[in-house]
C-alpha cells in the first residue's frame, strides 16, 4: 500500500507523462499536439521537484529552529527547464501560425493531403 | 590572458554576436560582422586544440566556482577535435552564405537568419565544451530551437511542417535526455561529468541507473537520427535553405554522436554500457539496418537534397556501427567517420546550393547535362561523392578501412562483407547524379548559365581539398581519433 500512496507524486508524474505523450502521438491537430508536448515536459518538472524534497525539510532559507532543508538545486534546474519549455512552446505555436497561413488548416491529415495533391 | 579564458570565449563570442546581428544598420554590414566572428571562433578552437595537444585537458571553472559545485568547462582531445570541426564548418558555410541567402531568404529576414545561425553555432559548441550534464541539455535546446527557426526559413511551405515535426520529435528526445539526467542526479547528487563517472560506480547495479541509461540512449539516438528514429531528418534537410542544410547536416547530428560517446564511455563506462546493458545488441542491428534501408531509399529519390539526406542517415549508421564494436579500432572508425562525413556532406550540400543558385531546381530531372552547363560545380559534387563511396585517396576510404579492420578484428566477417556491399549502394546513388549530369544531353531550351560566384566556389573547394588532403595524409585525423578512442576506453574522464 505504501508503494502506491507513499510515492503518489511519482505516480502523478507517470500519469501526466503518458497522457502528454499519448496526445503528441494520437492527435492530428497541431495545437493539441503541442499542448500534449507541454504536459509531457511538465511531468518531468514535477519529477525533478519531487526529488529535491527532503522529508521534514523546509525551504532552504536559514532560520532559527530549522535543522533540515530541502535540496534547492533541482528546483533551480527546473526553472531553467521551464524557460526552455516556454521557448519551445512559443516557437512551436509561431510555426503553427505560419503553417495556418500557408495551408489554411492545422489538421495534420489535411496538410498531408495538400502536400501530396496536384 | 586570452589563453586562460579560451573555453568561455569560445561560447561567449558567438552568443553575444547573435543579438548584435539584429541591431546592425545598415544591414549590408551584418554579413561581414558574422564572418569575422565565425573565423575568430575557428581561431579560438584551433588555439584550444593546440593547447590540449601540448599540455593535456583544460578545466575551466565558470565564475570561479570550482567543480563539482560550479559548472565546469572541460576540454580534452575528443571534444577539442569536435569543436574544431563545428567551428570550421560554421566559418566555411558562413563564408559561402551571402549569395545563397540572398536567393533563398527574404531580405528583411536575413539579419535574423544570421542571428539564429550564430545561436545554433553557440549551442553546438556549448554541448561539446561543457563538463556538466545539465548544461548539455540547456545548450542542446539552444541549438535545437535555433535549428527549428532556421529550417522554417525555407521558401517551400513544406519547410514549415518539416520544422514543426522536428520540433515535436526533437523536444521528445531532449526531454528523454532530461529525464535520464534527473534520474542520475537522484542516485548520485551530482551533475559534473567526472564526478558522475566516479559516483556511478557504486550505484550502477540499481534499476534507476539502468532506466536512466535507457532514457539517455533513446533520447540521444533520436537526436543523432539513428534508424528508425530518423523520420524528422529527410524533410528537414530537403526543405531548409541550402546553407542551413549544409551546416546542420555537417554538424548537428555529429555533435549528438559526440554527446552519446561522452555519456556512454566517459560517464557510464564501457563496462557498464557493453557488459551489463549490452547496448551493442541494439546498436549493431539498427546501424546495419539503417545503412541498408536508407541507402536503398536514397537510390530511388528524385530530389538531390533528399537523396543526400537519406545518404546522411546511412552514414550515421556507419558511425554508430563503428561505435557498437566497443573496441579501439571500432571507436577510431566511428570518430574518424564523424569528422570525414561532416567534411564530405558539407561539401556536397554546398555544391547542391550552388546548383540551386544557378539552375533554380534540385530535381534530378532538371539537371540533365549539368556536367556541360556547370562543369566546375558538377566536378566538385562528383569528387565529394567519391568520398562518400569510399574510393581510395579520399577520407571516406580511411573511415571504411578502419571499419573493416574493426569488423575483422572482432571476428564479424559478415559485417565486413555487408559494409562492402553497402558501399556499392552508395556508388549507385552517386552514379545517378553522374549519369544525369554527364550522360544525358543538355535540354534544347536550357538557358546558358554561369558558374556560381567565386565566394561560393572557394569554401566548397576548401572542404573538398580537406576531404582529399586528409585522405592522403591520414595521420592527422586518424591519429587524433585513435588517441581519443584510447582515452575513451581507458575510462578516464
Amino acid at each position: 500500500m505504501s508503494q502506491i500512496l507513499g510515492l503518489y507524486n511519482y505516480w502523478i508524474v507517470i500519469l501526466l507523462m503518458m497522457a502528454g505523450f499519448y496526445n503528441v502521438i494520437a492527435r492530428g491537430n497541431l495545437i493539441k499536439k503541442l499542448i500534449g508536448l507541454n504536459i509531457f515536459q511538465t511531468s518531468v518538472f514535477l519529477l525533478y521537484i519531487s526529488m529535491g524534497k527532503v522529508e521534514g525539510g523546509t525551504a532552504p532559507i536559514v532560520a532559527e529552529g530549522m535543522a533540515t532543508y530541502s535540496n534547492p538545486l533541482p528546483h533551480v534546474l527546473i526553472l531553467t527547464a521551464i524557460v526552455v519549455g516556454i521557448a519551445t512552446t512559443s516557437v512551436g505555436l509561431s510555426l503553427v501560425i505560419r503553417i495556418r497561413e500557408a495551408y489554411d488548416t492545422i489538421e495534420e491529415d489535411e496538410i498531408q493531403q495538400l502536400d501530396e495533391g496536384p | 590572458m586570452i589563453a586562460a579564458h579560451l573555453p568561455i570565449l569560445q561560447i561567449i563570442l558567438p552568443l553575444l554576436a547573435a543579438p548584435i546581428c539584429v541591431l546592425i544598420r545598415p544591414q549590408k554590414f551584418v554579413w561581414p560582422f558574422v564572418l569575422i566572428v565565425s573565423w575568430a571562433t575557428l581561431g579560438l578552437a584551433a588555439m584550444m586544440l593546440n593547447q590540449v595537444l601540448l599540455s593535456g585537458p583544460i578545466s575551466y571553472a565558470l565564475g570561479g566556482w570550482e567543480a563539482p559545485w560550479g559548472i565546469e568547462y572541460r576540454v580534452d582531445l575528443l571534444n577539442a577535435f569536435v569543436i574544431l570541426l563545428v567551428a570550421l564548418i560554421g566559418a566555411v558555410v558562413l563564408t559561402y552564405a551571402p549569395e545563397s541567402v540572398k536567393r533563398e531568404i527574404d531580405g528583411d529576414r536575413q539579419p535574423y537568419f544570421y542571428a539564429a545561425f550564430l545561436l545554433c553555432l553557440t549551442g553546438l559548441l556549448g554541448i561539446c565544451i561543457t563538463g556538466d550534464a545539465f548544461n548539455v541539455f540547456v545548450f542542446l535546446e539552444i541549438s535545437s530551437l535555433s535549428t527549428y527557426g532556421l529550417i522554417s526559413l525555407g521558401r517551400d511551405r513544406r519547410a514549415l511542417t518539416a520544422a514543426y515535426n522536428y520540433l515535436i520529435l526533437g523536444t521528445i528526445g531532449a526531454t528523454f535526455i532530461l529525464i535520464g539526467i534527473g534520474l542520475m542526479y537522484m542516485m548520485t547528487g551530482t551533475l559534473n561529468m567526472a564526478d558522475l563517472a566516479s559516483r556511478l560506480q557504486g550505484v550502477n547495479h540499481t534499476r534507476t541507473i539502468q532506466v536512466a541509461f535507457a532514457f539517455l540512449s533513446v533520447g540521444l539516438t533520436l537526436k543523432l537520427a539513428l534508424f528508425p528514429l530518423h523520420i524528422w531528418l529527410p524533410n528537414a534537410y530537403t526543405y531548409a535553405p541550402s546553407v542551413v542544410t549544409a551546416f546542420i547536416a555537417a554538424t548537428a547530428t555529429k555533435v549528438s554522436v559526440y554527446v552519446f560517446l561522452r555519456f556512454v564511455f566517459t560517464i557510464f563506462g564501457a563496462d557498464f554500457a557493453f557488459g551489463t546493458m549490452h547496448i551493442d545488441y541494439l546498436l549493431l542491428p539498427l546501424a546495419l539496418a539503417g545503412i541498408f534501408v536508407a541507402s536503398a531509399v536514397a537510390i530511388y529519390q528524385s530530389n538531390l537534397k533528399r537523396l543526400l539526406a537519406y545518404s546522411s542517415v546511412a552514414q550515421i549508421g556507419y558511425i554508430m556501427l563503428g561505435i557498437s564494436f566497443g573496441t579501439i579500432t571500432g571507436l577510431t572508425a566511428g570518430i574518424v567517420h564523424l569528422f570525414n562525413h561532416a567534411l564530405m556532406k558539407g561539401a556536397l550540400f554546398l555544391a547542391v546550393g550552388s546548383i540551386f543558385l544557378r539552375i533554380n531546381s534540385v530535381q534530378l530531372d532538371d539537371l540533365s547535362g549539368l556536367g556541360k552547363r556547370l562543369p566546375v560545380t558538377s566536378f566538385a559534387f562528383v569528387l565529394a561523392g567519391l568520398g562518400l563511396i569510399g574510393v581510395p585517396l579520399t577520407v571516406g576510404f580511411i573511415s571504411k578501412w578502419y571499419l573493416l579492420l574493426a569488423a575483422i578484428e572482432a571476428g564479424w566477417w559478415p559485417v565486413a562483407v555487408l559494409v562492402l556491399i553497402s558501399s556499392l549502394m552508395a556508388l549507385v546513388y552517386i552514379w545517378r547524379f553522374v549519369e544525369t549530369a554527364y550522360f544525358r544531353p543538355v535540354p534544347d531550351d536550357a538557358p546558358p548559365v554561369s558558374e556560381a560566384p567565386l565566394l561560393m566556389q572557394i569554401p566548397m573547394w576548401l572542404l573538398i581539398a580537406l576531404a582529399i588532403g586528409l585522405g592522403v595524409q591520414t595521420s592527422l585525423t586518424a591519429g587524433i581519433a585513435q588517441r581519443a578512442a584510447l582515452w575513451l576506453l581507458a575510462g578516464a574522464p
Side-chain angles (χ1 to χ4, degrees), chain A residues 10 17 21 24 30 33 40-41 44 48 51 71 73-74 77 84 87-88 95-96 98-99 102-103 111 115, chain B residues 109 134 138 141 145 152 157-158 160-161 163-164 167-168 171-172 175-176 178-179 181-182 185-186 191:
Chain A
Y10 291 99
M17 191 180 283
F21 205 33
V24 176
L30 297 186
K33 263 179 184 300
F40 178 61
Q41 285 181 307
V44 183
Y48 268 73
M51 74 172 88
N71 182 359
L73 186 70
L77 293 178
V84 169
T88 312
L95 277 174
V96 173
R98 289 197 46 205
I99 287 175
Y103 289 89
I111 292 173
D115 274 343
Chain B
R109 286 196 186 141
F134 193 81
V138 175
E141 283 298 47
L145 284 170
S152 73
R157 65 179 180 179
R158 277 168 290 188
L160 295 171
T161 43
Y164 180 88
L167 181 134
I168 296 285
T171 308
I172 291 174
T175 310
F176 270 42
L178 188 64
I179 296 171
I181 294 171
Y185 179 75
M186 218 179 216
L191 289 167

Side-chain angles (χ1 to χ4, degrees), chain B residues 199-206 209-210 268 272 276:
Chain B
R199 292 201 198 186
L200 275 178
Q201 299 297 332
V203 291
N204 64 13
H205 59 278
T206 58
I209 294 302
Q210 291 171 359
F268 286 104
F272 176 70
T276 315

